[in-house]
């Protein structure tokens, strides 16, 4: 594929929107969705249960093996295991524990205020490689066996004296 063809392909890849990336989850400030403590609400949206079910049902993109705690209360929760794994529906990207914060602390999902994620990594295209057919592979294997040094490993061992 030519360089210009690859550039066109990269331009056509959809950009994922980020949901629920709050300051407290990364121990740094300036995350796309601001402070989670500021986003906590006393009651949730009317369709909160459906949103939580939707967020729980999407595909894990990157699975991280770790344990975490609720950043508001410090307690463990149903998404403590693998909490910073990344989940997507193909349009949006969020952490695996984001549904917990929506359900428990009524943090708004923020579809309208989500910031798009843009990768700065360049796309690497693998080099083409030759595929060996069965006949040349068998011939190479036979030649390799013939070139093995003759050692004692081909003969059975003598039994040990007891």
């Amino acid at each position: 594929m030519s360089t210009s063809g690859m550039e066109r392909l990269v331009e056509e890849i959809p950009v994922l929107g980020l949901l629920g990336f709050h300051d407290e989850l990364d121990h740094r400030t300036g995350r796309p969705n601001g402070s989670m403590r500021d986003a906590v609400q006393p009651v949730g949206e009317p369709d909160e249960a459906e949103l939580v079910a939707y967020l729980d049902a999407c595909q894990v993109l990157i699975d991280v093996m770790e344990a975490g705690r609720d950043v508001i209360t410090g307690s463990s929760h149903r998404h403590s295991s693998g909490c910073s794994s990344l989940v997507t529906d193909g349009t949006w990207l969020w952490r695996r524990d984001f549904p917990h914060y929506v359900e428990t602390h009524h943090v708004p999902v923020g579809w309208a205020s989500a910031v798009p994620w843009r990768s700065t990594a360049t796309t690497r295209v693998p080099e083409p490689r030759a595929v060996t057919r069965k006949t040349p592979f068998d011939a190479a294997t036979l030649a390799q066996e013939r070139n093995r040094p003759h050692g004692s490993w081909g003969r059975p061992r003598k039994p040990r004296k007891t």
Side-chain angles (χ1 to χ4, degrees), residues 52-83:
V52 169
Y54 179 79
L55 293 170
D56 278 337
C58 289
Q59 295 294 314
V60 174
L61 181 65
I62 299 174
D63 203 3
V64 179
M65 295 178 60
E66 68 170 347
R69 297 193 169 274
D70 185 312
V71 296
I72 306 291
T73 64
S75 62
S76 62
H77 53 83
R78 66 185 176 104
H79 291 296
S80 288
S81 177
C83 61

Side-chain angles (χ1 to χ4, degrees), residues 24-103:
E24 293 85 356
L25 298 174
D26 200 1
H27 304 294
R28 294 184 292 179
T29 58
R31 300 283 31 126
N33 298 110
S35 172
M36 183 176 296
R37 294 183 200 292
D38 295 342
V40 171
Q41 298 179 357
V43 294
E45 300 292 328
D47 59 348
E48 185 176 272
E50 290 84 10
L51 285 171
V52 169
Y54 179 79
L55 293 170
D56 278 337
C58 289
Q59 295 294 314
V60 174
L61 181 65
I62 299 174
D63 203 3
V64 179
M65 295 178 60
E66 68 170 347
R69 297 193 169 274
D70 185 312
V71 296
I72 306 291
T73 64
S75 62
S76 62
H77 53 83
R78 66 185 176 104
H79 291 296
S80 288
S81 177
C83 61
S84 65
S85 298
L86 297 179
V87 181
T88 186
D89 63 356
T91 304
W92 299 96
L93 182 74
W94 59 92
R95 288 172 45 118
R96 179 181 265 166
D97 61 352
F98 183 53
H100 162 74
Y101 295 106
V102 173
E103 179 179 48

Side-chain angles (χ1 to χ4, degrees), residues 133-147:
R133 304 278 182 224
K134 183 174 179 3
T135 305
F137 177 79
D138 290 342
T141 304
L142 182 61
Q144 186 178 14
E145 287 177 7
R146 280 193 300 243
N147 290 334

